[in-house]
Amino acid sequence: MIWTVAISLLGLMALSIPVGIVLFILGIGVGEFYSAFPLLRGLGQVVWSSSNSSTLIAIPLFVLLGEILVRGGVAERTYAALDKWLSWMPGGLVHANIATATMFSATSGSSVATAATVATVAMPQAERLNYDPRLFSGAIAAGGTLGILIPPSINLIVYGFLTETSIPRLFSAGLVPGLLMALAFVAVTAVICWLRPALGGPSRGFSWAERARSLTQLLPIVLLFMVVIGSIYAGWATPTESAAIGVVMAGLIAVLLGDGLGPKALSEALHGTIRISAMIMLVVAGASFLNFAMTSAGLGRQLTELIEGSGLSPFGTLLLVVALYLVLGFFIETLSLMVATIPIIVPIMAGLGYDKIWFGVLMIVLIEMALITPPVGLNLFVVQGARKSGSISEVIMGAIPYVLVMICMIALLIAVPGLALWLPSKL
């Protein structure tokens, strides 16, 4: 049954069937062929119970928060301000790509939305200033991946919901590795452009007066992040309540410091939120039914027996799981990969003594790589769509140095679990 389900999953996705529908089809198939019970009769109850959680309300709210900042013109002003502060480094505007992606990761919670936002704003600058298209676009694709690691992260919310793990602790666990990876991206970019200056575009400088004036565009975003995340850790608000506060603050920032939030912009923000949230909830509901069917059919027991019979140590099992995610990430979209594997993999890893908070962060970094590795790397296609010229192979080549950074972060998290666990233990 294990291999049948895995091959069927890949085969149905290869037919370009929506992932949520694929998960429902597999759940129905498992119930019909591998279970003596009429599992299809439980479909309604499973879908309702998987959606009937106040925690999940945070997902559309965080999506709306990011949509408001994008549609309200805040992204362009943030990018221009960061350019003034970082253009002195080797690589110039490339660092603004990474820094802007980091800041919007701390507000939107979505990697694809972050990559799309930065790519839309940055690509005209790359063509105007004659930057190397590979490194420039690769940095945007890689910087966008931080959206699912730096809190608030939609993927961490889904992980916490599926594993019944504290979402505030997951947020705090992702903060240090996320910021370290952002700094590593900047460092790698600086080294590459120091070795090959032609890749970093023209040298530009800004006065301290210009930089000081640009702070009016940066401070509101920092304040937004501090209020949203700080209210959670201070115990003043749940993640759902803090997301609602963030939406109100984002609207005020867009009105006061952006291009405003007229009827058209607000309509686009709401439509974008509905599309993204509906896709996420369809995948979550489908994965919940598939997990219900596989558990009822005994797949969890089969996997446990398979791993125990392999004779691997807990560390060997961890390496096997890491390799599994690296391979699956080439073919399966990130959220789909998470919800399809979490109910199976996480109980096994927890049974081996691994902390679920730490493993959640490790899993996020692993699936971040899936966003910038072909053939299904979503961020690669998002950036290529914003470029409107050249081939996607240029984006892929530009992302390779950042993939190597992620591999180093995976090794570092395994060697030093405290990177993810230190901050949750203090809070």
Side-chain angles (χ1 to χ4, degrees), residues 296-321:
S296 301
L299 180 62
R301 184 181 66 256
Q302 288 186 23
L303 274 175
T304 303
E305 292 172 353
L306 179 64
I307 291 174
E308 291 177 349
S310 66
L312 293 174
S313 64
F315 183 71
T317 303
L318 174 62
L319 295 182
L320 178 63
V321 169

Side-chain angles (χ1 to χ4, degrees), residues 281-418:
M281 290 309 301
L282 179 63
V283 172
V284 169
S288 297
F289 179 66
L290 177 59
N291 177 52
F292 165 72
M294 291 191 301
T295 301
S296 301
L299 180 62
R301 184 181 66 256
Q302 288 186 23
L303 274 175
T304 303
E305 292 172 353
L306 179 64
I307 291 174
E308 291 177 349
S310 66
L312 293 174
S313 64
F315 183 71
T317 303
L318 174 62
L319 295 182
L320 178 63
V321 169
V322 168
L324 175 68
Y325 276 106
L326 290 177
V327 173
L328 292 179
F330 290 128
F331 307 104
I332 303 178
E333 184 270 331
T334 54
L335 182 64
S336 310
L337 177 58
M338 280 186 63
V339 296
T341 58
I342 282 174
I344 301 169
I345 298 296
V346 173
I348 293 174
M349 301 309 294
L352 293 174
Y354 290 105
D355 188 277
K356 288 198 292 185
I357 298 287
W358 169 83
F359 185 74
V361 174
L362 180 67
M363 176 187 288
I364 293 295
V365 179
L366 285 166
I367 66 172
E368 277 185 323
M369 290 181 58
L371 288 166
I372 55 173
T373 50
V376 191
L378 287 183
N379 281 17
L380 301 176
F381 291 99
V382 168
V383 174
Q384 176 62 20
R387 292 178 69 207
K388 301 177 181 177
S389 64
S391 67
I392 195 171
S393 61
E394 291 179 334
V395 187
I396 294 171
M397 292 299 295
I400 289 176
Y402 305 104
V403 172
L404 298 177
V405 170
M406 291 180 180
I407 292 174
C408 292
M409 177 55 68
I410 292 167
L412 195 58
L413 279 170
I414 293 174
V416 189

